[in-house]
Amino acid sequence: MRVIVVGAGVVGTMHAWHAVERGHEVVQIERETEARGASLRNFGQIWVSGRAGGQELDTALRARELWEDIGGRVPALGFRPNGSLTPVRGELELAVAEAAVARADAAARGYQLLTTGGARALNPALRGEFDAALYCERDAAVEPRTAQLALRAELLNSPRYTFLPGREVREVIGERAVRDDHGEVHTGDTVVLCTGAWLGGLVRELAGPDLPVRRVRLQMMQTDPLGEPLTTSVADADSFRYYPAYASPALEELNARQPQADTAEEHRMQLLMVQRADGGLTIGDTHEYEHPFAFDTLEDPYDHLTGVVESLLGHPLPKIRRRWAGVYAQCTDTSRVVHRQRVRDGVWLVTGPGGRGMTCSPAIAETTANELGW
């Protein structure tokens, strides 16, 4: 079988990976010299902890297994099973953490409620004031800026894999063929469009104007090296408000009696923080849903996040090295893990994983491969 994959972000690259693993020939086409979208502009988190129970959690757990397996074969991915801690303060936040630990699927997630001392024993860098912490053992991380490069380097060892960068696919020709902007036609048995947040142009022509996927913009930043290990990923209690695993009467009480800070509410923020291989911290994030998106980044969210992080670390942040904005595609029905649609015979569009893309991409691609009989 010959598979044409359009898009070289993490979702497209994982589709290429599964196809090559199953013995098929793959041509992967990318309009940039390398992917530059949400697949690079994220935390690199394999984030199990907040996923909705059922299909979303099952997908995340399967993806976690696949990431670990691939990471063992491709060390340059930087896979590490670091887990996560969500420190809490006060009775209201503690009650939400206790409700999470009481879930029927808590063991599958690796949830534990730790004392302050227990959390600091696990992650000594957290020297700020907090009362307890929710630990999720199944969370993990990879290096987002280099993960696709590492996967591609491994794929290029196979004679069945071809990478064609700097080519934009402009047209689907009949069944199972595409034409790029160099005028070259690529024909296969299956075409998979993994175009990320690129939802106009060819995607709109194929899927129609009512594609149930929206674009979401976020802001993030990265610091100079911390100077010590941050042994787990870290979230704050605002993350309880954004992830479906934490829905409970306790969360309703938290929202009613302890609203978010104005800046956090305005920018739909929660803290997520991961240490990169070089020691720097990736910190975010915000969510913007209304078009047109701003073309600049705002300082208030960064100031808020800096204050939250410093309150948990107990000291000032290292110098901010870079700030950026990114855009990802999310299903408008946020309970759906991904939008997978046959847009022509033999041509499939796979998009809209939202903030789950880095976490779930190996399992999303595996499901595509299974459903298409690769």
Side-chain angles (χ1 to χ4, degrees), residues 258-270:
Q258 186 178 305
Q260 269 189 302
D262 290 344
T263 299
E265 183 178 19
E266 178 185 358
H267 298 285
R268 299 175 175 89
M269 298 171 65
Q270 86 277 357

Side-chain angles (χ1 to χ4, degrees), residues 54 350 359:
V350 183
T359 294

Side-chain angles (χ1 to χ4, degrees), residues 102 110 171 306:
E171 183 182 7
T306 296

Side-chain angles (χ1 to χ4, degrees), residues 275-323:
Q275 190 170 46
R276 300 270 61 91
D278 69 356
L281 304 176
T282 298
I283 299 170
D285 64 349
T286 64
H287 300 88
E288 183 180 355
Y289 302 101
E290 300 301 324
H291 289 241
F293 293 142
F295 60 83
D296 45 10
T297 58
L298 301 176
E299 283 301 299
D300 284 353
Y302 292 119
D303 291 343
H304 173 82
L305 289 168
T306 296
V308 173
V309 172
E310 290 181 348
S311 75
L312 295 174
L313 295 178
H315 59 77
L317 269 180
K319 178 183 176 181
I320 304 302
R321 178 187 299 173
R322 55 174 68 97
R323 308 171 193 266

